[in-house]
C-alpha cells in the first residue's frame, strides 16, 4: 500500500499562502506541501494523505527524467538523435543526422552538451527574434537563454526576452511560435485579442503549436543535466 512517506514529502511554509497546496515534483519524485504560517505539519500531512490517489496519478502520468548522458536519445528541432560519448575526440559537440557526438573526458560531459545546446538555441532564436521585432516595429534589449523547467519564454516590461534552451529540441514551427509569442509581448503585455492578432501576423500555426507544447512539452522539460 502506497503511503505519503513513499513520496518523501517536503514541507514548506510560505507567508503568502492562504491554504495548503500540494505539488508533485517529478524530478525528485516527491510531494511538495506548501502551507500557510501557523499551519501545523500534522494538518498538512493529513491534507497530503487525503490526496494520495492524486499523487499516484501524477507519478504515473508524468514523464520520467531524461538525463544528458551517453546513450540517451533526445530530439534536435524535433528529430530524434542518440547521444554518443567519444573520449578520443576533442572536447566539442558535433551533431549529424542521427547522432549527437560529445568529445572529451567523461568529466563535464553533460555540461558540455547542455552548453552546446544553449548556443544552438541562441543561434536559432536570436535572428528570428530580430526579424519578428522588425516586422512589428519593436525592439528588444537583450535575449537570455536559460535553464527554465516550467516556462518556454518570457518578456519583461523593460524589453528583455528570455527563452528556455530546451526550445532547440522542439519542432521548428513550435520554436518559431514561442519566439513570436514573446515578441508580441513587446507590443501587448497581456493576452488580449489584440495580442493574439499580433501573434497571428508573425506565424500561421499558433494554435497547433500551443497544442503541441501542451501535449508534448512536459517531456522535454524533463531533459536534465546529470
Amino acid at each position: 500500500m502506497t503511503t505519503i512517506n513513499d513520496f518523501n514529502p517536503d514541507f514548506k511554509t510560505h507567508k503568502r499562502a492562504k491554504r495548503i497546496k500540494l505539488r508533485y515534483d517529478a524530478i525528485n519524485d516527491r510531494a511538495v506541501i506548501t502551507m500557510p504560517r501557523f499551519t501545523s505539519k500534522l494538518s498538512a500531512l493529513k491534507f497530503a494523505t487525503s490526496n494520495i490517489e492524486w499523487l499516484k496519478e501524477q507519478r504515473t502520468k508524468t514523464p520520467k527524467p531524461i538525463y544528458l548522458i551517453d546513450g540517451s536519445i533526445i530530439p534536435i528541432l524535433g528529430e530524434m538523435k542518440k547521444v554518443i560519448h567519444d573520449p578520443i575526440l576533442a572536447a566539442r559537440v558535433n551533431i549529424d543526422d542521427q547522432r549527437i557526438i560529445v568529445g572529451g573526458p567523461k568529466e563535464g560531459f553533460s555540461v558540455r552538451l547542455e552548453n552546446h545546446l544553449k548556443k544552438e538555441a541562441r543561434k536559432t532564436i536570436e535572428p528570428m527574434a530580430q526579424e519578428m521585432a522588425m516586422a512589428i516595429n519593436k525592439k528588444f534589449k537583450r535575449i537570455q537563454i536559460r535553464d527554465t523547467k516550467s516556462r518556454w519564454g518570457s518578456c519583461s516590461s523593460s524589453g528583455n526576452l528570455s527563452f528556455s534552451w530546451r526550445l532547440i529540441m522542439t519542432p521548428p514551427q513550435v520554436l518559431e511560435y514561442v519566439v513570436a509569442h514573446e515578441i508580441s509581448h513587446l507590443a501587448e503585455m497581456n493576452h488580449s485579442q489584440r495580442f493574439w492578432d499580433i501573434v497571428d501576423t508573425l506565424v500561421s500555426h499558433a494554435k497547433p503549436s500551443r497544442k503541441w507544447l501542451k501535449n508534448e512539452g512536459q517531456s522535454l522539460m524533463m531533459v536534465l543535466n546529470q
Side-chain angles (χ1 to χ4, degrees), residues 51 80 89 110 139 154 157 175 185 194 199 215 223-224:
N51 287 279
M80 302 305 294
L89 298 178
S110 295
K139 294 182 179 180
S154 64
S157 57
L175 184 151
H185 277 311
R194 174 168 166 71
V199 174
N215 294 337
V223 175
L224 306 170

Side-chain angles (χ1 to χ4, degrees), residues 77 119-129 168 175 179:
L77 293 176
K119 290 177 183 177
E120 290 297 307
R122 181 176 292 278
K123 283 168 55 178
T124 304
I125 291 170
E126 210 157 52
M128 188 182 296
I168 198 61
L175 184 151
V179 176

Side-chain angles (χ1 to χ4, degrees), residues 17 19 43 59 62 73 76 90 104 111 132 152 167 187 203 215 224:
R19 58 186 177 84
S43 296
R59 175 185 272 173
T62 302
I73 298 175
I76 300 294
V111 173
M132 289 183 181
W152 291 104
L167 277 172
V203 293
N215 294 337
L224 306 170

Side-chain angles (χ1 to χ4, degrees), residues 35-215:
M35 50 189 180
R37 288 188 300 174
F38 311 120
T39 298
S40 70
K41 188 175 179 180
L42 180 60
S43 296
L45 185 61
K46 287 181 178 179
F47 176 80
T49 301
S50 69
N51 287 279
I52 192 73
E53 293 302 320
W54 179 84
L55 285 169
K56 288 164 62 177
E57 181 183 356
Q58 297 305 304
R59 175 185 272 173
T60 299
K61 74 179 186 181
T62 302
K64 299 295 184 287
I66 299 172
Y67 293 99
L68 295 176
I69 58 175
D70 184 31
S72 62
I73 298 175
I74 62 172
I76 300 294
L77 293 176
E79 299 292 329
M80 302 305 294
K81 300 180 187 294
K82 186 173 183 178
V83 176
I84 303 293
H85 178 217
D86 190 338
I88 298 176
L89 298 178
R92 294 195 297 267
V93 178
N94 294 289
I95 300 176
D96 62 26
D97 290 343
Q98 296 181 321
R99 302 172 299 171
I100 303 171
I101 305 169
V102 184
K106 183 177 181 180
E107 292 76 17
F109 174 95
S110 295
V111 173
R112 286 198 299 281
L113 177 51
E114 182 179 324
N115 286 341
H116 181 83
L117 296 178
K118 286 178 179 177
K119 290 177 183 177
E120 290 297 307
R122 181 176 292 278
K123 283 168 55 178
T124 304
I125 291 170
E126 210 157 52
M128 188 182 296
Q130 291 282 6
E131 184 177 345
M132 289 183 181
M134 289 178 61
I136 63 171
N137 296 313
K138 294 292 180 181
K139 294 182 179 180
F140 55 85
K141 289 186 177 180
R142 62 173 178 160
I143 286 179
Q144 291 180 298
I145 304 298
R146 305 179 64 184
D147 183 25
T148 54
K149 298 181 179 67
S150 60
R151 300 182 69 178
W152 291 104
S154 64
C155 174
S156 72
S157 57
S158 59
N160 292 317
L161 303 177
S162 177
F163 296 97
S164 169
W165 68 262
R166 292 170 178 82
L167 277 172
I168 198 61
M169 296 188 287
T170 67
Q173 70 174 26
V174 174
L175 184 151
E176 185 183 29
Y177 158 70
V178 174
V179 176
H181 186 114
E182 303 311 329
I183 289 295
S184 297
H185 277 311
L186 294 171
E188 293 288 328
M189 288 295 292
N190 52 55
H191 289 101
S192 64
Q193 185 57 52
R194 174 168 166 71
F195 166 82
W196 290 113
D197 288 344
I198 296 171
V199 174
D200 288 336
T201 67
L202 296 173
V203 293
S204 61
H205 45 72
K207 287 185 178 179
S209 295
R210 289 201 302 274
K211 184 177 180 181
W212 190 96
L213 286 171
K214 181 180 179 180
N215 294 337

